[in-house]
Amino acid sequence: DMMNARHIELLKKARKLGDYLIVGVHNDDVVASNSKSRGNFPIMDLHERVLSVMGCKYVGDVLIDAPWSIDREHIKALNLSAVARGSRYVDDEDEENNNEEEERYRVAKEMGIFFNPGGDSHPCVSPVHEVVKKIQDNRQRFQKRFSSKQEKEQAYYDKRYGRTTK
């Protein structure tokens, strides 16, 4: 969801597969319904994700609201000579999810134009729910530190100006 250095590296490798790179960006509902924790909307909305992708020098164009599974009609309509898989968090123990991944790219594999520039060993750096947890943990630490500073500041002013707190 959030553009990072790993995504840039994948786009760079995908760009080397042809003359022009078209990147498909799924809409928010598609991402939410197909995410690891079904029903969670992505952190960045469709427009933010499209702008992030368009800002990459390896990208020629963006297919907004790309289909979840690529079929022969899309391949023909876009005149694709290669289909590269992007990054996505995949749980190796989630057989249903892994079967779905296989089906998404079945046509491209049958046509011999499927490529996985990121390899199978590390599909995604970190699932979104782990990133969100880190953000929440840091927020709690910040709030605790801020509250402590606020109490000390209040005590200083109370002492300085002779105020008493109830």
Side-chain angles (χ1 to χ4, degrees), residues 23-28 31 45-51 53-54 62-67:
V23 177
V25 179
H26 306 298
N27 71 40
D28 296 342
V31 173
D45 69 22
L46 173 65
H47 299 99
E48 292 168 322
R49 293 192 312 275
V50 167
L51 288 172
V53 172
M54 285 300 299
V62 173
L63 176 61
I64 299 174
D65 195 14

Side-chain angles (χ1 to χ4, degrees), residues 96-153:
E96 179 185 340
N97 189 19
N98 293 336
N99 291 338
E100 179 187 330
E101 277 294 299
E102 190 67 29
E103 183 59 28
R104 288 180 66 196
Y105 299 103
R106 182 182 51 76
V107 172
K109 287 179 180 182
E110 288 172 357
M111 295 175 71
I113 61 171
F114 175 79
F115 297 92
N116 189 356
D120 293 325
S121 61
H122 199 88
C124 185
V125 175
S126 179
V128 171
H129 63 273
E130 288 180 16
V131 173
V132 170
K133 184 176 179 346
K134 287 178 185 178
I135 291 169
Q136 290 171 337
D137 290 346
N138 286 334
R139 182 174 186 259
Q140 290 171 351
R141 278 201 314 262
F142 172 79
Q143 284 179 324
K144 184 177 179 181
R145 189 175 65 207
F146 180 76
S147 294
S148 174
K149 286 182 178 181
Q150 195 174 27
E151 288 172 11
K152 288 177 185 176
E153 184 178 309

